[in-house]
Amino acid sequence: MTDGALGIGLAGCGGFAEFVLDAIAGLPGLRLAAVADPSRERARLLGERHGVPALGSLDELLQRDDVEAVLIATPPAGHAAMATAALRAGRHVFCEKPLATTTEDASAVVDEARRAGRALVVDHVLRYNPLLRAVERLTGRGLLAPPRRFLFENDASDEDLGPGHWFWDPAHSGGIFIEHGVHFFDAARALLGSDPVSVRATAVARPGGPVDMVSADVVHPGGALASHLHSFTHAHRAERQLMRLDHGFAESRISGWIPVHAEITAWTDEAGARAWEELPELRDELLAVEGFRPGGGERITVRVERGAAPAAPARGRGEERTVPHRVTAVLDLGGEPRKPYVYAQSVRAAMADLVRSARTGEPPVAGPVSGFAAVAVAEAATVAAATGTEQHVLSPGRALTEGVSA
């Protein structure tokens, strides 16, 4: 690292790149060195805005000694080749999701990262969201059982996705499961704590147009099931997203594809009730994500209704517990107006993870294996929807030790 800061070069100067550069501005240990885009004018404008050289290609970025890492912010079809080239040139990589549009390409990138000994972070922003981190921590504390069911419904906007947009072209995007679904396949893998086994899926096309609605049921080991639905059919103002986690005697409901609000209901005993009541004092610890700067509106509130149910034992899925008290906990990051801020801070935290991993050699939270695993589910779901048959999901462990053709 030059002058103690990691010099990063941006490949791809579109609208998302501008968002990322704003999000990571001033991040300790990071310095923007140059930007590049085949459109010299687009590169020039962004370079002038940030006071750095504007180049025409990734190759030009890799010729610069002050570019120690590469930020890939191009459409999905180019991610794998660009990440591979950067890693072979000895650079660290921050790659916008998905890592690749096929498992074969994703596996090749992972292998290259291992050979190069360089850090690679995939921009799976949900991994860096304080609400999902809090659910993981509450599970670790024993206040929530590991989820047995993961559901996500995403009624997203297509208002900015005109008929000619690359999003609708699987050759460029990989399709909805790969371009967008990877976020939530990755989140399910993290929260369920396992690699999926198989998937069934459905795709629906709008009349006379492209596929704009897909669903997938993904089986995880131990009887856990993850269900996903993605629909790009709404105006911005009518968007709605909900993630629901079934913990057996508890439920988490997390709102927004960039989550800003969560409500947890749980049945517990007296010791559990007291532990839940202590959570507001632990707000900063529960919501902490390295590199994510709190906005000041975060809050945790807990209400316990003692004796809300009879004291007799209750049973569910063979488990018997004495849980007469009902808990309602609300975790909020400042409400819906804070969504853009939370999104930006999650990207910032992901980039801080790259800086940490490059400096220490420790694995990142959303690293190459996470990137591969999400693509593997997305690819299997795409095939399942096209064929109408259940598909096996390639295990990261097997694929990355034996090769994807094994």
Side-chain angles (χ1 to χ4, degrees), residues 56-111:
S57 68
L58 173 63
D59 287 343
E60 292 181 54
L61 277 179
L62 298 178
Q63 291 170 14
R64 295 182 63 93
D65 292 337
D66 59 350
V67 172
E68 299 157 290
V70 174
L71 162 56
I72 299 171
T74 63
H79 289 180
M82 298 181 83
T84 298
L87 290 164
R88 284 179 178 170
R91 271 48 171 207
H92 307 288
V93 172
F94 183 95
C95 185
E96 171 54 10
K97 56 76 194 165
L99 178 61
T101 56
T102 68
T103 53
E104 182 176 8
D105 286 346
S107 180
V109 175
V110 176
D111 288 343

Side-chain angles (χ1 to χ4, degrees), residues 131 134 260-263 279-284 286-287 294-302 329-335:
L131 297 182
V260 294
H261 181 90
E263 183 169 316
L279 293 186
E281 298 178 5
L282 303 175
R283 179 197 64 186
D284 293 346
L286 286 173
L287 297 177
E298 297 80 6
R299 65 186 178 93
I300 295 178
T301 60
V302 175
V330 173
L331 293 72
D332 195 273
L333 302 182

Side-chain angles (χ1 to χ4, degrees), residues 210-256:
V211 169
D212 64 0
M213 186 183 305
V214 296
S215 67
D217 288 322
V218 184
V219 177
H220 283 249
L225 179 66
S227 297
H228 306 255
L229 183 140
H230 295 283
S231 164
F232 285 82
T233 56
H234 289 65
H236 285 301
R237 69 192 67 180
E239 279 193 319
R240 44 193 172 265
Q241 295 88 16
L242 177 66
M243 182 184 299
R244 187 172 78 82
L245 304 172
D246 176 8
H247 307 272
F249 285 90
E251 177 190 52
S252 299
R253 298 175 69 88
I254 305 171
S255 302

Side-chain angles (χ1 to χ4, degrees), residues 322-343:
T322 301
V323 286
H325 309 319
R326 178 182 172 90
V327 173
T328 302
V330 173
L331 293 72
D332 195 273
L333 302 182
E336 188 64 21
R338 299 300 284 173
K339 178 179 173 180
Y341 179 83
V342 172
Y343 188 9

